[in-house]
Amino acid sequence: MITQVRGRLVEKTPTEVVVDCNGVGYLLHISLNTFTSLPADENVILYTHLSIREDAHTLFGFINKTEREVFKLLISVSGVGPSIARTMCSSMTSEEIQNAIASENVALIQSVKGIGAKTAQRVIVDLKDKILKTFDIDEVSVHTSNTNKDEALSALEVLGFQRKQSDKIVTAIVKENPDATVEQIIKLSLKSL
């Protein structure tokens, strides 16, 4: 219904802004990422999403269309409401959310306040294909490098190496050899550790 608001920024807090559009003040709920990206001058354009419930009509504002699209995808998942989606958009950038879903990183999604293990898995199941299509992310590079890297790190930890130290070496190896298998990553890491 309301797709964007252009006007003068009258008030701003980390969670909401008021934009004056020709004498009408619109209260928009925003994420921390939008708050930090707000321009220094008073004139702003925010892309919006209107959430309608029985007891409230709430307008959410976003600094760019990508963040709005990620928000809309998140609220399409059963168990993820607008407030949890906004918290997620505040905790991570749009790109981080896309990559977390594309690489099936349950732990990262679950680290957001209000999201449990089941909901995190549901987000991945429901949105992975949509995220890959909508934002044209290369599934193979995201998925294999992260999974193989994580498995290699776990194996090195079991072998008694500190995760911090291993992480730097494994990250460098994965950058140089994106197609390396878990075994290859571990063997190369053992040479450097």
Side-chain angles (χ1 to χ4, degrees):
M1 186 177 167
I2 300 171
T3 191
Q4 79 174 33
V5 173
R6 178 197 305 254
R8 197 167 57 85
L9 191 61
V10 183
E11 292 175 35
K12 76 173 180 178
T13 69
T15 55
E16 54 192 34
V17 292
V18 175
V19 179
D20 181 332
C21 302
N22 297 323
V24 178
Y26 290 93
L27 173 71
L28 293 106
H29 296 267
I30 59 169
S31 69
L32 285 173
N33 289 321
T34 294
F35 176 74
T36 55
S37 303
L38 285 170
D41 62 346
E42 290 183 340
N43 297 318
V44 293
I45 296 175
L46 290 174
Y47 300 96
T48 61
H49 173 77
L50 181 62
S51 171
I52 299 175
R53 290 195 337 245
E54 282 179 28
D55 58 343
H57 290 220
T58 311
L59 200 55
F60 291 89
F62 308 95
I63 200 72
N64 56 43
K65 290 180 179 177
T66 304
E67 188 182 23
R68 178 176 66 182
E69 195 56 39
V70 168
F71 178 85
K72 284 176 160 180
L73 286 171
L74 288 170
I75 61 174
S76 73
V77 176
S78 173
V80 178
S83 61
I84 290 177
R86 179 173 70 160
T87 303
M88 199 163 177
C89 289
S90 293
S91 306
M92 299 184 262
T93 66
S94 302
E95 290 73 26
E96 287 170 339
I97 295 170
Q98 292 165 29
N99 289 330
I101 293 169
S103 64
E104 299 183 19
N105 191 338
V106 177
L108 185 60
I109 295 168
Q110 199 178 332
S111 70
V112 176
K113 187 175 184 268
I115 295 186
K118 284 184 180 175
T119 307
Q121 288 165 343
R122 196 177 306 123
V123 166
I124 289 168
V125 169
D126 290 1
L127 299 184
K128 185 176 179 188
D129 292 339
K130 291 178 187 173
I131 289 277
L132 293 171
K133 263 187 221 145
T134 308
F135 299 104
D136 197 29
I137 296 172
D138 183 7
E139 180 182 11
V140 177
S141 66
V142 171
H143 184 69
T144 43
S145 65
N146 284 352
T147 308
N148 289 351
K149 180 184 168 185
D150 292 342
E151 284 182 33
L153 279 172
S154 297
L156 289 167
E157 213 170 355
V158 170
L159 292 172
F161 294 100
Q162 288 184 338
R163 192 169 183 92
K164 254 187 182 178
Q165 187 184 8
S166 306
D167 194 20
K168 288 179 187 172
I169 293 166
V170 170
T171 304
I173 291 167
V174 170
K175 269 187 186 171
E176 285 177 33
N177 312 303
D179 300 326
T181 65
V182 177
E183 292 80 14
Q184 289 169 331
I185 294 171
I186 294 169
K187 283 178 184 174
L188 290 167
S189 299
L190 288 172
K191 289 176 183 173
S192 304
L193 285 167

